[in-house]
Amino acid sequence: MSSSLAQKFKNIGPGALVAAGFIGPGTVTTCTVSGASYGYTMLWALLFATVATIIFQEMASRVGIVSGKGLGENIRDRIPNKALMWIAIVIVIIAIFVGNIAYETGNITGGILGIQAVAPDVPMLPIVVVLGICAFVAMWIGSYKVVEVILTAIVVFMGVVFLVTALASSPDWGAVAHGLFVPALPEEGSKGILTAVGLIGTTIVPYNLFLHASGASERFKDPEQVSDARFDTILSIGLGGIISMAILVCAAANIYGTDTVVTNGKDMALALQPLLGSWATWLIGLGLLAAGFSSAITASFSAAYAVNGVLGWKKTVKDLRFKLIWIIVLVCGCVMAIALGKSPTELILVAQAANAILLPIMAFFVIYCANGKDLGKWKNHIFANCAGVVIIVITLFMCYRNMSSFLTSLQALIGG
């Protein structure tokens, strides 16, 4: 069943949730620091991360559509050995809870930075309370379609904000093209590698795999609609990648080569004020707020989908146990944001490091499920498997190189 182009656009949604999930404060912070520190050099890492994200999210959505189940349920159902199944369930639950609570803390913190960029005198506590209540209400409504519409609108808003700001910065397009297609690392070897790791790790987000599989299974009921889901994935995540690149380009065009010290998106908003006027500060601040709020919703929802799926519970958003999971993640994120808010940038970077460590495990589960014989003609072909294995090898390298950085940052955060 081949859909018309108009129908494909109408079916956009699950992919937009994924884009809303990975364009969070970590993305804004990492892209800002990369562009301000190294210019356009690291754009290739974002291009690679965007392509890798499309490959894995397409697998997850395909598994969800054809099986009619989320990724968590597929992991549970496809492991025949009971002992191995429970080991996998424990791994997923621990990984999702630890990773998502860390990520949620960074999301709430990013929303704080966005508001304080335009209203620096506003205290942290009321900001956290308002953000938490808004996210709670959006999810408690209990309608997947409502949440999907809200997050799709936020993604479009972020796209306009960051693209307009980047274009107004008059970047060097030749340098942009060179940075995109010629992989290179800055002279500071170890820092350059860690920057590349951060850019890749903040784009390929493990919890989005669960969110996408469940979202696609709810939106697309006919396996023949896999092509519609693939269109949604490529377009939405492609737009998300472009937004990330626009953030880096904006920082590179306006801040690289100056003496301005930039450590996060809030700093970039303030640094752009004398260059582009006060409107740019407002746009960046609102974009950072939107990034934090949208990711706060997706992190909570995906944790609920994952845990409910692997435990075999009902996965409907109206189910009490489903709500209990996302409430725990949201509340823990808000509490930790207040407790550790003295080091917001360090906190966001720690969340990214945890994300990179969990990524290879979740990627393996996706490939395993996407090769199920019951998927028939929709199971992985050789290209998808080869591409997936290559990406897993690269993410394992990321995990290895990121471990020392993660431990150092975590120690500094807790001890500082």
Side-chain angles (χ1 to χ4, degrees):
M1 182 176 64
S2 178
S3 301
S4 65
L5 184 61
Q7 185 63 35
K8 288 181 184 294
F9 273 104
K10 186 178 179 180
N11 281 330
I12 288 175
L17 265 68
V18 174
F22 75 74
I23 309 173
T27 297
V28 177
T29 297
T30 308
C31 292
T32 297
V33 173
S34 176
S37 303
Y38 308 119
Y40 308 102
T41 304
M42 306 301 291
L43 279 169
W44 63 269
L46 282 176
L47 179 61
F48 166 80
T50 301
V51 173
T53 302
I54 289 173
I55 290 172
F56 272 109
Q57 296 295 158
E58 190 279 331
M59 288 186 205
S61 67
R62 180 160 30 92
V63 168
I65 295 169
V66 179
S67 68
K69 303 174 183 177
L71 183 58
E73 293 146 296
N74 272 277
I75 293 172
R76 179 187 178 90
D77 295 345
R78 293 178 186 279
I79 300 178
N81 184 284
K82 288 292 184 182
L84 291 177
M85 180 193 75
W86 278 106
I87 290 173
I89 289 173
V90 171
I91 289 174
V92 170
I93 291 176
I94 293 176
I96 288 297
F97 260 109
V98 173
N100 279 40
I101 288 175
Y103 223 80
E104 188 75 336
T105 306
N107 293 333
I108 298 298
T109 303
I112 295 170
L113 292 175
I115 292 177
Q116 290 182 340
V118 295
D121 296 329
V122 177
M124 178 189 300
L125 182 59
I127 297 177
V128 173
V129 172
V130 171
L131 286 176
I133 291 175
C134 289
F136 181 93
V137 171
M139 290 184 284
W140 188 265
I141 290 172
S143 171
Y144 170 81
K145 290 184 179 295
V146 170
V147 174
E148 186 179 80
V149 169
I150 291 172
L151 296 186
T152 300
I154 290 176
V155 170
V156 172
F157 170 76
M158 286 191 290
V160 172
V161 166
F162 290 119
L163 285 174
V164 167
T165 307
L167 291 174
S169 303
S170 301
D172 181 342
W173 293 109
V176 169
H178 188 272
L180 273 173
F181 301 111
V182 182
L185 291 173
E187 292 182 3
E188 303 97 320
S190 59
K191 288 186 178 180
I193 292 174
L194 288 176
T195 301
V197 166
L199 291 171
I200 294 170
T202 194
T203 306
I204 315 174
V205 182
Y207 70 67
N208 272 341
L209 298 168
F210 293 88
L211 183 67
H212 203 175
S214 296
S217 69
E218 292 191 26
R219 168 60 73 92
F220 304 103
K221 300 300 183 181
D222 187 343
E224 296 294 337
Q225 291 182 293
V226 163
S227 62
D228 286 11
R230 188 174 292 125
F231 178 84
D232 171 38
T233 299
I234 294 172
L235 184 64
S236 299
I237 296 175
L239 174 60
I242 291 173
I243 293 172
S244 299
M245 294 174 197
I247 298 169
L248 189 152
V249 166
C250 185
N254 293 288
I255 304 171
Y256 177 63
T258 69
D259 294 329
T260 305
V261 177
V262 175
T263 58
N264 54 52
K266 176 185 173 183
D267 289 344
M268 182 170 75
L270 297 176
L272 288 174
Q273 190 166 6
L275 298 169
L276 300 176
S278 60
W279 67 270
T281 302
W282 274 91
L283 284 179
I284 295 295
L286 291 174
L288 190 56
L289 172 61
F293 180 71
S294 64
S295 294
I297 293 177
T298 56
S300 301
F301 250 30
S302 58
Y305 276 124
V307 173
N308 277 261
V310 295
L311 290 178
W313 297 347
K314 295 178 181 180
K315 69 172 185 177
T316 171
V317 296
K318 294 183 180 296
D319 185 73
L320 182 59
R321 287 178 294 187
F322 184 97
K323 291 180 177 180
L324 180 61
I325 299 301
W326 65 250
I327 288 173
I328 291 173
V329 173
L330 178 62
V331 171
C332 287
C334 290
V335 171
M336 290 182 66
I338 295 172
L340 303 175
K342 57 188 177 182
S343 305
T345 303
E346 193 71 35
L347 191 153
I348 290 172
L349 295 177
V350 167
Q352 287 176 263
N355 174 49
I357 292 169
L358 299 174
L359 180 57
I361 301 172
M362 298 301 120
F364 167 79
F365 281 132
V366 172
I367 291 184
Y368 176 77
C369 292
N371 278 281
K373 292 182 180 180
D374 58 304
L375 297 184
K377 67 179 183 179
W378 291 285
K379 73 176 184 178
N380 267 9
H381 293 296
I382 186 67
F383 170 78
N385 282 327
C386 289
V389 169
V390 169
I391 295 169
I392 285 181
V393 170
I394 293 174
T395 55
L396 283 171
F397 174 75
M398 287 169 45
C399 177
Y400 170 74
R401 294 303 298 262
N402 220 30
M403 184 64 74
S404 61
S405 174
F406 171 73
L407 295 175
T408 300
S409 298
L410 185 61
Q411 184 179 20
L413 182 64
I414 296 174

